[in-house]
Structure formats: structure tokens, C-alpha cells
Amino acid sequence: MITSIQGTLTTATPLRAIVELNGFGYEVNIPLTTAEKLPLPGVAVKLHTHVIYREDAQTLYGFSTPAERDFFRLMIEHVSGVGPKVALTIMSRLSLPSLESAIRIGDVATLAKCPGIGRKTAERLIVELKSKVGGDDLSSRTMGEMSPGPASPGSVSRDAVSALVALGYKTADADEAIRRAAHVIGPDATTEALIKKALS
């Protein structure tokens, strides 16, 4: 199993990246939330990967963190009706902290707005994954290990998104605004800083 790939990013689009390693160019399917974090072409990059093997092809999927890759695996392995393409679409619409939050609180409406899934699939996501994204959720655990401190980036982002929703933003719009703010400020952003940047 190929669990990661590290090389030079040669090409990047919102849903695909080409990583060159030892003279080979590897095509990696990625969600928009990962594409937003990629460096410029020509720069070294590492993606955490999942490979799907079929009789006529093998497809490589890549993510910016192990937690995102693991959540992708959860969806395609445990939720009927959710294959790799649908899972990528869901993860392109909402960041991992927001997805986990929506599943924990049973927010069918937010999940159902992701392209490619309807209310029934959203309900299946909640039923099948709620116990797997409990208090010790994937993003908080993994991202917390990567960034020591009293609050993990996952919890900071969730709090910032919740604050924007309380101000009247739609969840998906709030999530996108906070992702953009986090990209500008960096990994040390506080909840207050993210909110201020998103509203500026």
C-alpha cells in the first residue's frame, strides 16, 4: 500500500496534481481543500495517499494530512453509495473539521448540499460515521500531534466556522471563508484572527 508520495509538484489543478519522483510523474486525484494548500509548481510536496486497484487501472488519491486520507477511507469503506469520486466531491466542499462537526451533530442539511449526494446519502454518512468521529475526532487528534499547543488547528477552525454561522453565514460559505483565512494567516492562527480575516 502506498501511504504517501513526496516529490516535485509539476502540475496542479483544483482536482488533480502531478508529482514527479525519480523520473516518474504520478497523477494524484485530490479534493479542492488539498489543492488550496499546494505550493507552486516546481516546489517539493508531500501528499498522504490511498490507492484503489482495479483490473484495468490503479488510481492514486492524495490529501494534505493523514487525517483527511483516513476520513476518505472511512467514507468509501463504510458508507454505501459513496465511492471515491463522491467522497472527493464531499471533501472539496467542506473541510475535515466541518465535515466531522456536521456528522457529530447530525446536520443533514449541510451535508446534503454537497454536490453528488442527496438527503439519503447525507443521512447514511451520519449513521455510519457518527460513532467514528466522536469526541476524539480525526482532525483534532492528528493535527494536534503535528501542532503542539492548547488548541488544535482543527478545533480553532471549527470554532471560527461556528462563529460565522452564528452571524448568519451558511455553513459551507463560512467554512470556505475560514479556509481562505487560514491559508493566508498560517497554522498558528487563533480563532479571533481567522474570524477577523474572514470578515475583512
Side-chain angles (χ1 to χ4, degrees):
M1 178 68 72
I2 302 173
T3 59
S4 67
I5 182 170
Q6 185 168 354
T8 302
L9 179 68
T10 59
T11 306
T13 68
L15 295 175
R16 189 169 289 106
I18 305 297
V19 180
E20 186 173 331
L21 175 64
N22 297 327
F24 293 93
Y26 294 86
E27 182 180 77
V28 188
N29 295 281
I30 57 175
L32 180 59
T33 48
T34 290
E36 293 172 344
K37 302 172 187 174
L38 290 177
L40 294 173
V43 177
V45 67
K46 180 176 182 179
L47 294 172
H48 301 274
T49 56
H50 178 78
V51 185
I52 294 181
Y53 297 94
R54 303 195 187 283
E55 291 183 2
D56 57 347
Q58 60 180 30
T59 307
L60 196 60
Y61 297 89
F63 307 88
S64 57
T65 67
E68 291 170 339
R69 177 199 57 205
D70 294 345
F71 189 82
F72 174 81
R73 286 176 177 167
L74 281 178
M75 285 196 290
I76 64 175
E77 293 174 1
H78 295 279
V79 185
S80 60
V82 175
K85 289 183 179 180
V86 173
L88 272 191
T89 300
I90 294 170
M91 296 186 73
S92 290
R93 179 64 171 169
L94 294 169
S95 65
L96 181 56
S98 290
L99 278 171
E100 291 178 330
S101 177
I103 289 171
R104 273 199 306 274
I105 66 176
D107 188 351
V108 175
T110 292
L111 295 172
K113 290 178 181 177
C114 295
I117 76 169
R119 187 175 183 85
K120 288 185 178 180
T121 302
E123 290 172 346
R124 284 199 296 271
L125 278 169
I126 293 168
V127 170
E128 297 295 336
L129 301 184
K130 191 169 187 177
S131 64
K132 296 175 174 59
V133 293
D136 183 24
D137 62 77
L138 292 169
S139 64
S140 293
R141 182 174 67 250
T142 304
M143 295 178 74
E145 291 169 357
M146 294 170 59
S147 304
S152 72
S155 64
V156 168
S157 294
R158 277 196 302 274
D159 291 345
V161 169
S162 296
L164 290 189
V165 171
L167 291 174
Y169 278 66
K170 293 182 179 178
T171 302
D173 294 337
D175 184 71
E176 183 178 359
I178 294 302
R179 291 204 316 264
R180 289 178 178 174
H183 181 71
V184 173
I185 298 174
D188 297 326
T190 63
T191 299
E192 292 77 12
L194 288 176
I195 294 169
K196 288 180 180 178
K197 185 64 179 177
L199 293 175
S200 64

